[in-house]
Amino acid sequence: MSAPVTAETPVRRPLPVRPEVLAPAGDWECAKAAIENGADAIYFGLERFNARMRAKNFTVADLPKLMEFLHRRGVRGYVTFNVLVFADELGAAEDYLRAIIAAGVDAAIVQDVGICRMIRAISPDFPIHTSTQMTITSAAGVDFARELGANLVVLARENSIKEIAAINEAQKSLAHPLPLETFVHGALCVAYSGQCLTSESLGGRSANRGECAQACRMPYELVSDGAKVELGDRRYLLSPQDLSGLEVLPDLIHAGVASLKIEGRLKSPEYVANITRVYRRAVDAAMAQVEPALRSGLAPTGNNTFDPAAARYDLEMGFSRGLYTGWFRGINNQELAHARFGTKRGVFLGEVARVGRDHVALKLVASLKPGDGLVFDAGRPDEKEEGGRVYQVDERNGETVLRFGQGDIDFSRVRPGNLVWKTNDPELDRRVRQSYEGDQIRHRRPLHLEVHGHAGGPLTLLARDDDGHVTKAESATPLEVAQKQPLSTERLRDQLGRLGGTPFELGTIENRLEGAVILAVSELNDLRRRLVADLDAQRAAPKRWTMTTTRIANRKLQDDPQPVAADPELIVVIRHLSQLEAAWAAGARTLYAEFEDPKKYREAVVRFRELRGSDSSATLWVAAPRIFKPGEDWILKQVLSCEADGYLVRNYDHLQWFAGRRRRGDFSLNVANPLTAEYFINHHGLERVTASYDLNVAQLEALLQGAPAAWFDITLHQHMPMFHMEHCVFCAFLSEGTDYRNCGRPCDKHDVRLRDRVGAEHLLRADAGCRNTVYNSRAQTGAEFADRLFALGARSFRIEFLNESADELQRTVGRYRQLLRGEITGAELWREFKLINQLGVTRGQLEATPQVIRRKG
């Protein structure tokens, strides 16, 4: 019988791995800022195929020089290849990948399944890091990445620490568990990465192609049951506070996170230096607490010299829309998005108490000094705000009086009650710039030494760095017996530790000299210089990854042409049980159902079987929620229990849960090229996959020319699902609850829409996991392109409905059936729908020439 656990019992935990600090780099100066402030690795994009096309980025030609620079400093470099790649781009993508591998890059961060396959076909050993754009939220997602040959998984930002620990726990029995990476700081996307179609929907600028227009940072009005909900100055309903994992860093380390990623490839070098320095020090302080304690079997105690308050100040001044732990501690919809602004603020200083002719007075809640910049927040950040540099700070009768340069502030626009934010601290900026400007090496990596020898023989010095490079040097003259001042460990440390001007600092030193011996100082200096030079040369050499010469992009996926069905199949997607009979009456014989409440699937299946009678060719397929996270098995069990004819696979867990049943892939799998399609069709056994909504008609034609058209469902008509998010707008703004347990379920009671700045009202829906989807108010059609797609062999076409009435659904289905029979043209259908639908129908993402997006500024 084991001893009882008491408060005094030592808490034994597995020793956590020191996580890498991974910093962003939009250009050379940012790379240097990251290195000098302690980054273990940086990630950066090239001029194509990366999700931050607005950053300066590097070029393929920069890679050899950049990687040599990074490796000399003991820093790893990862290229972001984190976009969907279209069929007609695969050749260019392969050329890029070969150049990346040849340059000795440490890994590629990849979104596209087909690109993962291409990398593995080109090189069996080049590391793949699956991007957060791959929407991996569970252990099944990690398994999927492992099958693709990935070496590390970047989890979705929405995973909590508890969920991260559970995902790691699920891997503990594996011989080679995949390391997990998570974003720890920076701008927090409100939508799941890889699942946001907002920029694409509003203007053809795909977030999956690095062209996000940040519609989440714009103001919206909340409309419930047709009436505007008064929310005061809360208008930025989809703009989360910025992520900061500083408070929960020890918990992330204990959960087994291997890499802590800082967002910010569009940010300045000052930002990169500042944030990297804070997290470098925080990780070092956390590990200093953890490692000695855990090695002795005790829970960590003692003092941490790291100053969290000072660190938070630096983070807020770097860039802040408010700092919050995001989803790390679980879901709290009241705190995630304060909704007051979607722009940079900084450190909160207090509220304006009085406004004078040439000054303002307030009670300061944070430090302020002359020269600092501030802004007065009247709750209308989309309008011009008053602000400027403080000229004078006076303490009077318990309040602080602030004065500014003449004419800098229009005091008539400042009101008592305005919030005041410090937006700039020149002293901090100066300190940050000093950390990386110039040629001085500031951040050094440990150099570990072993010293061997005996009198009459040479002194042998072995050196190694933390990346596994090892070198050896021997003295030209033999060791002599020391009459005085032998080479003690202290003397060796003093002489061999003189590493100024090099990227090294002395780490451990093992003195294995036999007896009291001595060697000339000049010889010790020469040994040190030779070792450093040899290690530097080793580190500068490019990594040699295996690479095949066989071209991948041009290979045929299918030698024999597949027979094409003569008649097209019209697939009707319904989202209400009441739409089922209307779809059947309109002639639809293949239905996909996506209901908010999966309990209703059983009723739908029963009714559908009554309608079809003996017609076994008619089928009803059902969809589970797009996202699965640990602990949500109950939802999938409900979906399975309906015993539908087939199931839509929308994420990696569905591949496992629906195995052995008829399965088709939904749009959320992001199938944009033949390599991705083939993987889901041939490796996972899906009957068909839905072509990505990121494809315009030219790209869709390239896909159908590069793979059998019979593999694909093509969506011709829909309300585009724009934001898909963990953030619950219903809970946040129509209740006082924090999540589903105490919100009162307003999603079940109200018709809710988000009204944008041009007056469009976008429908908001919640699924069984309480995740919200915002649907475009305007339906869109690709009817005009149906003939072109039909000519390429496409035969399976989807039309999707949202809240349409039975009459509207039947009319729409009827006209699309006529279109596919050739009885009307796409142009006729388009013109007719434009007349009968007051909101109009846009040509949608299939249009080759995108619209101009409406965006802030």
Side-chain angles (χ1 to χ4, degrees):
M1 181 175 177
S2 60
V5 177
T6 68
E8 290 74 32
T9 303
V11 179
R12 295 188 177 273
R13 302 174 184 168
L15 184 65
V17 175
R18 178 182 291 268
E20 77 174 357
V21 175
L22 176 57
D27 58 26
W28 279 98
E29 198 171 10
C30 289
K32 189 175 181 187
I35 290 169
E36 298 300 352
N37 284 277
D40 297 306
I42 66 167
Y43 64 103
F44 55 91
L46 302 176
E47 64 265 49
R48 291 186 67 183
F49 302 118
N50 90 83
R52 287 292 182 271
M53 290 307 296
R54 288 182 294 132
K56 291 181 182 178
N57 293 315
F58 294 88
T59 68
V60 171
D62 291 326
L63 283 177
K65 183 179 178 182
L66 175 61
M67 295 314 301
E68 178 181 341
F69 174 58
L70 293 175
H71 289 163
R72 283 185 187 275
R73 301 299 305 278
V75 174
R76 294 174 290 279
Y78 309 140
V79 166
T80 56
F81 213 97
N82 54 344
V83 294
L84 299 183
V85 176
F86 303 142
D88 55 359
E89 298 174 321
L90 288 175
E94 181 172 351
D95 292 339
Y96 258 61
L97 289 170
R98 289 184 178 277
I100 288 167
I101 295 168
V105 169
D106 293 286
I109 304 171
V110 183
Q111 172 184 13
D112 195 294
V113 169
I115 294 301
C116 290
R117 298 187 66 208
M118 178 179 280
I119 291 173
R120 261 312 143 258
I122 294 171
S123 172
D125 55 2
F126 177 70
I128 299 171
H129 295 181
T130 58
S131 169
T132 190
Q133 291 282 120
M134 203 175 270
T135 327
I136 293 177
T137 58
S138 67
V142 176
D143 291 341
F144 181 85
R146 184 182 291 105
E147 289 181 5
L148 281 173
N151 303 85
L152 176 145
V153 169
V154 186
L155 293 175
R157 292 172 174 93
E158 290 80 0
N159 279 113
S160 68
I161 293 172
K162 182 178 179 181
E163 290 162 349
I164 294 169
I167 293 169
N168 256 331
E169 179 70 14
Q171 298 191 87
K172 71 176 184 179
S173 61
L174 301 178
H176 301 289
L178 286 186
L180 303 180
E181 176 178 304
T182 187
F183 278 90
V184 73
H185 192 92
L188 193 62
C189 296
V190 74
Y192 272 91
S193 293
Q195 300 296 319
C196 184
L197 296 162
T198 310
S199 296
E200 172 75 8
S201 176
L202 295 179
R205 291 182 47 174
S206 170
N208 282 326
R209 295 282 292 177
E211 297 177 329
C212 173
Q214 295 190 315
C216 52
R217 303 300 180 188
M218 297 179 184
Y220 294 89
E221 292 177 344
L222 192 66
V223 178
S224 178
D225 301 324
K228 177 184 174 183
V229 179
E230 295 299 333
L231 296 172
D233 61 359
R234 295 190 298 165
R235 297 184 302 126
Y236 293 82
L237 309 183
L238 303 181
S239 181
Q241 299 186 73
D242 287 346
L243 174 65
S244 173
L246 197 65
E247 295 177 24
V248 296
L249 198 58
D251 298 318
L252 287 168
I253 292 171
H254 279 289
V257 173
S259 180
L260 303 169
K261 189 171 194 172
I262 299 167
E263 183 274 339
R265 283 194 287 136
L266 294 173
K267 299 291 200 310
S268 68
E270 290 86 355
Y271 171 89
V272 173
N274 183 12
I275 309 303
T276 303
R277 183 186 73 249
V278 168
Y279 280 91
R280 171 77 279 149
R281 292 178 177 176
V283 169
D284 291 347
M287 294 307 296
Q289 290 279 308
V290 165
E291 287 174 330
L294 288 181
R295 285 197 178 104
S296 64
L298 299 173
T301 58
N303 297 319
N304 189 336
T305 57
F306 180 68
D307 185 351
R312 185 177 178 88
Y313 173 86
D314 288 355
L315 295 180
E316 288 182 326
M317 291 310 302
F319 190 96
S320 170
R321 299 178 181 92
L323 296 181
Y324 185 57
T325 52
W327 289 282
F328 281 143
R329 286 174 168 153
I331 296 171
N332 187 327
N333 287 301
Q334 295 300 326
E335 294 183 353
L336 181 74
H338 52 62
R340 293 195 70 258
F341 49 82
T343 56
K344 176 185 176 181
R345 284 307 188 210
V347 172
F348 180 61
L349 295 175
E351 293 185 17
V352 173
R354 292 185 299 104
V355 181
R357 182 179 57 83
D358 63 350
H359 66 273
V360 297
L362 72 161
K363 287 190 175 182
L364 280 177
V365 297
S367 64
L368 183 70
K369 60 186 179 301
D372 288 348
L374 58 74
V375 66
F376 295 101
D377 176 0
R380 303 289 299 184
D382 50 327
E383 299 178 0
K384 180 182 181 297
E385 295 181 312
E386 291 299 318
R389 295 210 175 273
V390 179
Y391 181 75
Q392 189 175 346
V393 181
D394 293 326
E395 300 291 335
R396 293 184 183 178
N397 302 321
E399 66 179 12
T400 304
V401 175
L402 307 181
R403 287 186 166 81
F404 303 82
Q406 188 173 359
D408 288 354
I409 304 293
D410 181 353
F411 292 98
S412 68
R413 299 186 69 238
V414 181
R415 298 281 186 273
N418 285 175
L419 305 183
V420 187
W421 303 88
K422 185 197 292 192
T423 56
N424 181 251
D425 181 344
E427 183 180 309
L428 174 61
D429 290 346
R430 207 161 34 246
R431 189 168 73 246
V432 167
R433 282 193 297 272
Q434 288 172 352
S435 72
Y436 65 88
E437 285 185 334
D439 296 329
Q440 182 182 350
I441 294 176
R442 295 172 178 85
H443 189 84
R444 295 177 171 82
R445 305 277 166 179
L447 181 66
H448 307 287
L449 301 178
E450 286 184 29
V451 187
H452 298 263
H454 55 80
L459 183 145
T460 302
L461 190 59
L462 286 82
R464 62 178 175 83
D465 64 12
D466 285 340
D467 294 322
H469 300 105
V470 179
T471 187
K472 181 178 76 169
E474 291 186 347
S475 63
T477 58
L479 289 162
E480 297 179 1
V481 175
Q483 303 302 319
K484 57 182 180 179
Q485 294 185 329
L487 291 178
S488 65
T489 301
E490 291 72 21
R491 290 198 66 200
L492 288 168
R493 179 175 292 279
D494 176 65
Q495 201 62 40
L496 298 177
R498 298 180 181 183
L499 296 164
T502 78
F504 300 108
E505 63 182 10
L506 187 59
T508 60
I509 183 167
E510 293 186 49
N511 183 356
R512 299 187 179 181
L513 293 173
E514 300 173 23
V517 293
I518 194 168
L519 187 70
V521 169
S522 59
E523 282 270 24
L524 289 174
N525 291 340
D526 181 62
L527 284 170
R528 184 189 67 239
R529 285 190 290 266
R530 285 159 53 196
L531 287 176
V532 167
D534 189 48
L535 277 180
D536 183 66
Q538 287 187 42
R539 286 152 68 108
K543 292 194 173 180
R544 301 297 182 189
W545 305 112
T546 305
M547 189 156 52
T548 65
T549 57
T550 305
R551 293 289 295 184
I552 308 302
N554 299 328
R555 72 181 181 88
K556 283 189 176 182
L557 295 183
Q558 192 119 13
D559 292 329
D560 301 320
Q562 293 293 298
V564 177
D567 298 324
E569 176 186 25
L570 185 66
I571 302 161
V572 174
V573 180
I574 60 174
R575 291 190 168 89
H576 293 279
L577 183 60
S578 60
Q579 295 173 332
L580 189 150
E581 294 197 31
W584 181 268
R589 293 299 178 262
T590 304
L591 271 65
Y592 293 169
E594 183 191 2
F595 295 168
E596 293 180 19
D597 184 359
K599 294 177 184 175
K600 294 181 180 179
Y601 281 149
R602 186 171 295 181
E603 183 180 351
V605 170
V606 170
R607 181 57 185 142
F608 185 79
R609 288 176 178 164
E610 291 173 351
L611 290 170
R612 77 180 180 190
S614 61
D615 183 4
S616 60
S617 65
T619 56
L620 174 64
W621 304 66
V622 300
R626 276 163 72 180
I627 301 295
F628 177 92
K629 291 172 74 177
E632 295 180 348
D633 304 47
W634 63 274
I635 298 176
L636 297 184
K637 289 176 181 177
Q638 280 189 351
V639 174
L640 275 170
S641 70
C642 76
E643 298 183 349
D645 298 305
Y647 298 86
L648 290 188
V649 170
R650 315 184 83 196
N651 59 48
Y652 313 116
D653 286 83
H654 295 171
L655 290 169
Q656 296 182 4
W657 274 86
F658 302 146
R661 297 166 174 83
R662 294 186 69 183
R663 299 171 298 163
R664 293 177 183 174
D666 206 356
F667 71 94
S668 52
L669 296 181
N670 285 327
V671 176
N673 59 63
L675 292 175
T676 301
E678 183 193 33
Y679 192 68
F680 284 113
I681 297 290
N682 290 340
H683 184 78
H684 283 286
L686 304 190
E687 292 182 11
R688 291 204 297 268
V689 291
T690 304
S692 166
Y693 290 169
D694 284 284
L695 303 177
N696 65 31
V697 66
Q699 292 150 358
L700 191 50
E701 287 175 326
L703 178 65
L704 296 178
Q705 290 166 343
W711 285 0
F712 302 101
D713 286 350
I714 309 297
T715 302
L716 284 184
H717 179 103
Q718 65 167 320
H719 291 268
M720 181 74 84
M722 300 192 301
F723 299 104
H724 187 64
M725 50 196 179
E726 196 77 29
H727 173 48
C728 183
V729 175
F730 295 97
C731 179
F733 302 107
L734 291 177
S735 85
E736 295 181 356
T738 57
D739 58 23
Y740 71 93
R741 291 169 294 190
N742 53 22
C743 70
R745 301 287 299 177
C747 55
D748 292 338
K749 306 167 188 173
H750 303 286
D751 177 276
V752 176
R753 298 164 191 262
L754 297 180
R755 182 185 293 150
D756 66 20
R757 296 189 305 164
V758 298
E761 294 185 2
H762 308 290
L763 184 66
L764 182 73
R765 299 284 293 271
D767 66 17
C770 290
R771 293 174 190 104
N772 286 193
T773 304
V774 179
Y775 290 90
N776 196 320
S777 65
R778 295 165 63 92
Q780 64 180 40
T781 181
E784 292 172 301
F785 310 115
D787 287 346
R788 291 163 61 177
L789 302 174
F790 197 83
L792 289 170
R795 292 296 183 271
S796 302
F797 298 97
R798 284 170 56 152
I799 61 173
E800 301 192 7
F801 296 97
L802 195 53
N803 273 5
E804 288 85 351
S805 67
D807 287 344
E808 186 177 358
L809 184 149
Q810 288 182 332
R811 184 166 61 250
T812 304
V813 171
R815 297 304 270 166
Y816 273 99
R817 292 185 70 202
Q818 288 180 291
L819 173 75
L820 296 182
R821 290 196 299 263
E823 298 170 3
I824 61 172
T825 67
E828 288 173 323
L829 186 150
W830 156 250
R831 284 195 295 270
E832 178 182 341
F833 279 6
K834 194 173 183 181
L835 289 171
I836 66 173
N837 189 333
Q838 289 183 343
L839 291 176
V841 180
T842 74
R843 286 174 172 82
Q845 103 280 351
L846 287 180
E847 189 172 30
T849 303
Q851 308 164 53
V852 177
I853 195 166
R854 298 180 298 269
R855 61 175 300 194
K856 191 171 183 179

